[in-house]
Amino acid sequence: MSSIVSAAPHTWPAELFIGGRWTAAADGGRMDVIDPATASVIASVASASVVDVDAAVAAAQDARRGPWGRMTGRERSRILLRAVELMRERTEQLAQAESLDGGKPISLARAIDVPGAIDQFEYYATLAPHIDGAVRETAGQTFAFTRREPRGVIAAISPFNFPLILAASKIAPALAAGNAVIHKPAPQTPLSALLLAEILAEAGLPAGVLNVLPGAGAELGDALVRHPGVDMVAFTGSTTIGRIVARTAGECLKPVMVELGGNGANIVFADADLAKVVDTVIGSFVYNTGQFCMAGTRLIVERPIYSTLVDLLAGAVGHVPVGRPSDAGTVVGPLVSAAQRDRVEAMVDGAVAAGGRVVAGGTRLDLDGGFYYPPTVVADLPNMAEAVQEEIFGPVLTVQPFDDESEAIALANSTAYGLAAGVQTADISRAHRVAAALDAGLIWVNTWSALDHAVPFGGVKSSGWGRESGPEALDSYLRVKSVTIAVDPGPAG
Ligand code: NAD
């Protein structure tokens, strides 16, 4: 049984991390990690079962009762800032992990994923010393104040597409707030989660404060959500699984954040700067090979510029570099799995059957046996087509025309999702009007995917609820306690 994953010159842990120790799964379970660029098995990682959930919860609860539970925000902050330094030193190792199991282009992992995760730890480390309550004026002979306390043990469940960033977006605020965490990464992409645990331990995080349980979803994830020793669930993933998680957490009456799927609408008015729009639109649907929740997959274009923009996109999309994730110039790599590639392919085939016109891409790529599908643009689809209404989660853009502002807003708001939306226009009043009318948690004007960890991130409708990033995320990992003390009025009273 290998206890490390190796891709020279880097190695990664490959066991469960419970109570500060690397340990095999109680039932000896292991799972293969696949390289999406070649479809070959690159590692074997321990796969947790419900028995391991019990052990991780016990370790997390012990840690909460230990030194971690007594630390001040400043002390927690120091540990997180040490982790930030270590992550910076080990940027390349983290980036390689992120690229290897997810098929993510290495240039993206280096430029976005690793710095983004580091940024979150630094941001919440700086907020940790400022967690305080409020004094409230009361009518009676009392003194009342609030305490903002950690919720306890957090189950953090993350998806495959941004393993490190989405681990950090839960673990960093949860730890800053003083909680203990059990992290279940996606089965396809466990490597960076295990490395992050190693780094946090090296930074001085006490044993049991962060536990990592790689493994397949249904049984393990469900056991985590249900466990009476878990006080809160932070879930990012598909809307289908999010519904199950929210239902179970509801039965158990425990707080839950669900950050779910999306199919972002991007409205382009005729007065927009078209050259800039072409770049923005391409970035909005090919980024991370289209496997991102806030992808701008639905382009809604004012009719006078519809044909021109479709032609410009058809020409430009062919120049997007598609290739091996390890090549520094690659922008679009493989999809995470054969199943994901097949799903994208079926969606495009369905779009054609529904009357769509493929103007770029549309045929799977054969490279090294990997799971490649090229950037694809489908024009002229009816609004009720599945490719418009559903999340595709691949590098596919649908394009629809509109005649006036109200029709554009109606089309944008016509799906079940509500994570991200955008408006491209030179008219600032219109930008304000449309931004207010769009039913989504994130709105971008004359840009797309402009993210900063100080700005809250999250959706509405079937894209879930809760907010990651910003002080809002820290609040989610805290509960408010009110303390009221009788004050003797004294002789004068
Ligand atoms: P998924 O829902 O299949 O899996 C997400 C996680 O849930 C994995 O760790 C999985 O093992 C686990 N899981 C599976 N069944 C479970 C169960 N019954 N109980 C508890 N956990 C369970 O999602 P995925 O395919 O890994 O990721 C892609 C999806 O995630 C897309 O829909 C995407 O839009 C969404 N996503 C949303 C955001 C956001 O912030 N809104 C960000 C990234 C990805």
Side-chain angles (χ1 to χ4, degrees):
M1 178 167 66
S2 77
S3 59
I4 54 167
V5 179
S6 171
H10 301 289
T11 58
W12 297 272
E15 303 298 327
L16 313 182
F17 191 62
I18 300 177
R21 291 188 321 119
W22 298 103
T23 169
D27 65 0
R30 302 196 72 78
M31 61 184 183
D32 288 341
V33 179
I34 308 288
D35 174 3
T38 60
S40 54
V41 176
I42 48 171
S44 160
V45 168
S47 177
S49 74
V50 294
V51 180
D52 302 302
V53 171
D54 287 337
V57 172
Q61 286 179 332
D62 279 355
R64 286 270 304 124
R65 286 189 287 268
W68 181 248
R70 295 186 290 276
M71 273 187 202
T72 61
R74 284 179 211 190
E75 290 169 310
R76 296 196 299 274
S77 176
R78 269 181 232 127
I79 293 173
L80 296 180
L81 289 173
R82 270 203 295 279
V84 164
E85 291 313 312
L86 292 171
M87 288 173 79
R88 286 213 170 97
E89 282 167 21
R90 293 168 75 170
T91 289
E92 185 58 19
Q93 189 187 9
L94 283 162
Q96 291 291 342
E98 207 65 341
S99 176
L100 201 60
D101 56 10
K104 190 182 290 277
I106 187 68
S107 54
L108 283 190
R110 287 180 183 137
I112 308 285
D113 296 78
V114 181
I118 293 172
D119 196 40
Q120 300 197 56
F121 276 96
E122 194 165 46
Y123 181 79
Y124 288 106
T126 61
L127 292 189
H130 303 286
I131 298 171
D132 48 22
V135 174
R136 294 289 159 84
E137 189 182 49
T138 57
Q141 298 292 326
T142 56
F143 178 81
F145 64 96
T146 60
R147 290 170 51 87
R148 288 160 79 219
E149 301 178 340
R151 288 189 182 274
V153 175
I154 311 295
I157 302 176
S158 54
F160 73 79
N161 61 332
F162 287 94
L164 189 61
I165 286 188
L166 292 171
S169 67
K170 295 163 183 55
I171 294 169
L175 296 184
N179 299 282
V181 176
I182 301 163
H183 177 212
K184 195 203 91 57
Q188 304 92 328
T189 52
L191 297 186
S192 60
L194 295 168
L195 189 52
L196 183 60
E198 184 177 273
I199 288 172
L200 279 157
E202 202 180 321
L205 194 71
V209 176
L210 174 65
N211 307 275
V212 185
L213 300 181
E219 213 181 320
L220 175 62
D222 185 64
L224 260 178
V225 175
R226 281 183 194 283
H227 201 292
V230 167
D231 300 292
M232 173 185 163
V233 179
F235 174 87
T236 300
S238 62
T239 297
T240 305
I241 304 294
R243 276 186 218 286
I244 297 170
V245 167
R247 191 182 310 133
T248 308
E251 277 167 21
C252 303
L253 282 180
K254 59 180 74 169
V256 59
M257 287 207 309
V258 282
E259 305 282 356
L260 309 178
N263 65 352
N266 192 2
I267 303 173
V268 184
F269 285 92
D271 62 0
D273 174 346
L274 272 200
K276 190 173 165 220
V277 163
V278 170
D279 284 348
T280 302
V281 168
I282 289 179
S284 79
F285 85 96
V286 306
Y287 177 62
N288 210 43
T289 314
Q291 299 168 120
F292 69 122
C293 50
M294 69 270 187
T297 52
R298 292 188 293 137
L299 193 65
I300 299 173
V301 184
E302 198 163 13
R303 200 174 297 276
I305 57 161
Y306 180 77
S307 304
T308 309
L309 185 53
V310 167
D311 290 347
L312 286 171
L313 285 168
V317 160
H319 297 293
V320 175
V322 182
R324 298 178 178 95
S326 54
D327 290 346
T330 292
V331 172
V332 170
L335 291 148
V336 75
S337 62
Q340 192 63 26
R341 189 263 324 274
D342 294 351
R343 177 186 150 82
V344 171
E345 189 174 56
M347 279 285 208
V348 173
D349 292 349
V352 172
R357 179 168 57 97
V358 174
V359 298
T363 313
R364 71 160 70 177
L365 281 184
D366 190 10
L367 176 64
D368 301 338
F371 312 130
Y372 290 90
Y373 199 87
T376 296
V377 179
V378 187
D380 307 345
L381 268 174
N383 192 47
M384 291 321 289
E386 191 187 21
V388 176
Q389 291 295 319
E390 269 309 317
E391 180 179 55
I392 301 174
F393 229 55
V396 179
L397 180 76
T398 66
V399 199
Q400 300 169 266
F402 72 87
D403 289 306
D404 61 38
E405 190 175 305
S406 60
E407 187 193 1
I409 292 165
L411 285 170
N413 290 343
S414 70
T415 79
Y417 298 97
L419 183 58
V423 49
Q424 317 297 321
T425 179
D427 179 340
I428 189 70
S429 295
R430 177 155 60 198
H432 277 284
R433 273 197 312 275
V434 176
L438 287 171
D439 219 358
L442 305 163
I443 310 292
W444 289 298
V445 177
N446 293 332
T447 183
W448 192 275
S449 284
L451 295 173
D452 189 292
H453 294 118
V455 180
F457 178 102
V460 299
K461 303 197 293 186
S462 293
S463 294
W465 65 76
R467 291 294 177 267
E468 298 202 307
S469 296
E472 287 81 358
L474 189 65
D475 285 343
S476 305
Y477 294 98
L478 293 162
R479 59 183 190 186
V480 177
K481 179 184 279 176
S482 300
V483 182
T484 303
I485 301 174
V487 178
D488 187 335

